Amino acid sequence: MTMTRLGVNIDHVATLRQARGGKEPEPVAAAILAESAGADGIVVHLREDRRHIQDRDLQLLRQVVTTHLNLEMAPTAEMVSKAIETGPDLVTLVPERREELTTEGGLEVLKHKEKLRKVLTALHKHPIRVSIFIDPDIRQIEAAQGIGARTIEIHTGRYANAATLNEVEEEREYILNAVMFAKNIGLHVSAGHGLNYRNVGPIANIREIEELNIGHSIISRSVLVGLSQAVREMKRLIDNA
Ligand code: PXP
């Protein structure tokens, strides 16, 4: 048994709601259910284009979440003020480009060192921990520590997308080396992106990873495992009408 924490990303509950622009499904309800099922934290990405999570979701989640609230956001002035105003337990800095479907790669810390240092300094003036989402790349990890990060999240996307067994093993090796390096220089280490019911095992068994953040696969599965009950309930209403 490992003691790795699970952060559940509920962005796609909001994606479904936004598809109709209505009120359901309610991300706050999803957060409560996830916590009561054992989630150790709730994760949301407030995107610049507000395509899923809205500002009101963030405010309500701050009031309701009793585990820890991890706000993923781009390192922009707008988001820094949002974070300071809301007070999540943790901010995870992620890159963001408007056209992308999801967060495609880690933050290039080396390239944006001074900008990121300022963002970290601003957030650290408040009781907010800050994590930086980076590829399993030793140089980026060193740079993250250099600008004052105490936690990093390793991007597992390349591992998740690896096509052959050799590639999977190779990508896991990169992750393992990155995790060990980060641990040895005193950083807290999380990991996530693209993890699902088939590929999570070999990452979850790296004990030095303290937390895994998983969204898409859990929300996708919940649609399927919940569908029979949802249909039965509707059928009963129609039959009893
Ligand atoms: N960690 C970070 C930093 C992310 O940006 C995301 C996606 O929002 C995740 C974890 C979760 O990825 P997935 O939805 O593929 O499980």
Side-chain angles (χ1 to χ4, degrees), residues 86-103:
T86 317
D89 301 285
L90 178 74
V91 159
T92 302
L93 298 174
V94 300
E96 193 176 298
R97 284 175 296 273
R98 267 170 208 278
E99 67 278 14
E100 72 191 5
L101 283 180
T102 178
T103 312

Side-chain angles (χ1 to χ4, degrees), residues 47-221:
R47 298 189 71 104
E48 198 189 354
D49 62 9
R50 306 297 197 272
R51 72 176 66 155
H52 39 54
I53 293 294
Q54 306 297 309
D55 297 53
R56 104 6 134 182
D57 299 329
L58 185 61
Q59 283 159 19
L60 291 174
L61 287 166
R62 177 59 297 176
Q63 291 170 47
V64 166
V65 166
T66 56
T67 52
H68 79 227
L69 182 63
N70 176 354
L71 170 62
E72 292 178 6
M73 58 177 228
T76 63
E78 184 209 356
M79 288 301 161
V80 169
S81 7
K82 275 279 162 232
I84 291 170
E85 183 190 313
T86 317
D89 301 285
L90 178 74
V91 159
T92 302
L93 298 174
V94 300
E96 193 176 298
R97 284 175 296 273
R98 267 170 208 278
E99 67 278 14
E100 72 191 5
L101 283 180
T102 178
T103 312
E104 279 159 7
L107 258 181
E108 301 221 24
V109 186
L110 279 166
K111 206 161 138 188
H112 305 292
K113 233 170 164 174
E114 289 322 310
K115 178 179 161 190
L116 288 171
R117 193 198 299 275
K118 282 189 192 130
V119 169
L120 256 98
T121 308
L123 291 169
H124 278 156
K125 286 191 184 130
H126 301 266
I128 301 174
R129 289 184 295 119
V130 186
S131 177
I132 306 189
F133 188 45
I134 41 183
D135 289 329
D137 175 338
I138 304 295
R139 289 169 320 138
Q140 300 289 352
I141 297 171
E142 268 177 330
Q145 192 200 34
I147 58 166
R150 295 191 278 271
T151 306
I152 56 162
E153 179 172 336
I154 302 278
H155 196 311
T156 51
R158 276 214 320 263
Y159 161 83
N161 289 332
T164 65
L165 276 180
N166 275 351
E167 267 174 53
V168 171
E169 271 176 27
E170 201 173 279
E171 292 300 338
R172 182 186 181 274
E173 203 61 25
Y174 287 132
I175 292 170
L176 180 62
N177 289 339
V179 170
M180 297 317 289
F181 179 82
K183 266 280 154 196
N184 283 336
I185 59 171
L187 295 170
H188 292 285
V189 186
S190 307
H193 207 279
L195 295 177
N196 61 32
Y197 294 80
R198 249 176 295 114
N199 65 21
V200 73
I203 299 297
N205 72 10
I206 301 175
R207 287 170 187 273
E208 288 73 14
I209 299 177
E210 295 167 40
E211 183 168 282
L212 294 175
N213 292 313
I214 307 181
H216 190 264
S217 64
I218 294 178
I219 303 306
S220 302
R221 185 159 172 80

